[in-house]
Amino acid sequence: MRHDNSKRNSEWISASDVGRSEFCPNSVALKYAGAKPSQRALAAQDRGNLKHEQFNRQISTDKRCYVASYLYGVEDPRTETLRQFRDNTLQCSPGGRILIAFYYWLSPVVIKFSKRASWIDWLLRRIVDRLVLRSEQRGKNHDS
């Protein structure tokens, strides 16, 4: 027994169309009836797409840097220096990506112990301070 899939496929409505129908209940019917959007509607769609793209870019920026955020704060320039080192240097090689994954796995545990023992906190700060200094020096050498 054969089924006619062409009729079945024409009955499907995309998730985008379902979403659009929330704002304009007649939009799906108009679309499938062959209606074309106005210039005003196309301009609004372009503005919405641009805003959506900007939002995606904003949330795709990886703000994680657990240890530096713990030591200095999320928005501190030193934390940002380490993020840039991660993104511009480590992220560019397979070994660097493995190191990043290991860091994300290990750093919450290190912070937990650091909060309990001041000597770990002191040692962690010394290590990260040196990493920041080296990252800043590396950045200056690349800018020259």
Side-chain angles (χ1 to χ4, degrees):
M1 180 180 221
R2 287 181 47 192
H3 288 70
D4 184 10
N5 287 330
S6 62
K7 183 178 179 188
R8 179 182 250 174
N9 288 341
S10 68
E11 294 172 6
W12 286 94
I13 297 176
S14 72
S16 297
D17 285 341
V18 171
R20 279 187 206 98
S21 70
E22 180 66 26
F23 296 101
C24 178
N26 295 323
S27 64
V28 175
L30 289 169
K31 177 182 174 183
Y32 288 103
K36 301 289 182 205
S38 68
Q39 288 301 98
R40 183 175 169 209
L42 290 172
Q45 181 181 12
D46 288 342
R47 286 192 306 275
N49 288 339
L50 180 63
K51 288 285 188 189
H52 186 76
E53 185 180 315
Q54 289 170 341
F55 176 74
N56 282 340
R57 242 185 276 123
Q58 179 184 351
I59 64 170
S60 69
T61 303
D62 193 347
K63 288 286 192 182
R64 293 179 297 176
C65 204
Y66 299 120
V67 174
S69 295
Y70 162 71
L71 293 172
Y72 310 125
V74 176
E75 299 299 327
D76 189 277
R78 294 168 291 189
T79 304
E80 186 57 35
T81 295
L82 292 171
R83 284 188 193 115
Q84 289 176 5
F85 175 72
R86 175 201 61 205
D87 295 344
N88 299 331
T89 303
L90 295 177
Q91 204 57 283
C92 297
S93 70
R97 290 190 292 276
I98 290 170
L99 184 63
I100 292 168
F102 179 71
Y103 167 79
Y104 286 150
W105 173 78
L106 182 64
S107 58
V109 175
V110 170
I111 291 169
K112 188 176 184 178
F113 284 114
S114 182
K115 287 179 179 180
R116 293 182 186 166
S118 61
W119 71 270
I120 296 174
D121 195 70
W122 178 86
L123 180 62
L124 190 59
R125 188 171 295 276
R126 296 291 174 249
I127 292 168
V128 176
D129 282 346
R130 292 193 71 167
L131 286 172
V132 169
L133 185 62
R134 284 200 156 169
S135 296
E136 289 172 341
Q137 289 171 343
R138 180 181 266 256
K140 288 177 185 175
N141 290 340
H142 284 292
D143 292 340
S144 305

